[in-house]
Amino acid sequence: MFMVLVRVLPHVCSFLLTDVDSPVLLLVFSAGPVNITAADIDPRVTAIMQCFFPAQATGEALFNIITMATPDASPAGRLPYTWYKTADQV
């Protein structure tokens, strides 16, 4: 599995996805919604995780969630806001 880290340049994400043949876990580090349409429709992207802005223990926390390393690891699909597919939906 290949991980792509997205900060504020979604067009770079599209470029990276063209060079990958294995499944991709997309980690999005942002304060809110960003345009990840290219990744969302790409069949190689098997999962997308919104990580917001990381803190000191982010690496360990991501490892625990991705590998289910601890009994209390609980990956869930909850966001504190609506992520619209297009600007027309706003």
Side-chain angles (χ1 to χ4, degrees):
M1 181 174 290
F2 181 75
M3 286 192 270
V4 176
L5 303 178
V6 176
R7 286 224 182 250
V8 291
L9 301 173
H11 61 279
V12 174
C13 173
S14 300
F15 176 74
L16 288 173
L17 287 176
T18 61
D19 293 339
V20 177
D21 294 328
S22 60
V24 173
L25 167 61
L26 179 67
L27 302 176
V28 181
F29 293 91
S30 68
V34 292
N35 185 1
I36 57 169
T37 305
D40 191 29
I41 61 175
D42 193 308
R44 292 170 289 192
V45 178
T46 57
I48 300 172
M49 289 181 68
Q50 170 63 314
C51 302
F52 297 99
F53 286 122
Q56 185 172 343
T58 300
E60 184 178 352
L62 286 173
F63 174 80
N64 289 340
I65 293 293
I66 293 168
T67 62
M68 299 295 288
T70 61
D72 61 341
S74 178
R78 298 183 192 98
L79 287 172
Y81 49 78
T82 301
W83 198 307
Y84 297 103
K85 190 151 185 97
T86 65
D88 297 334
Q89 295 177 325
V90 179

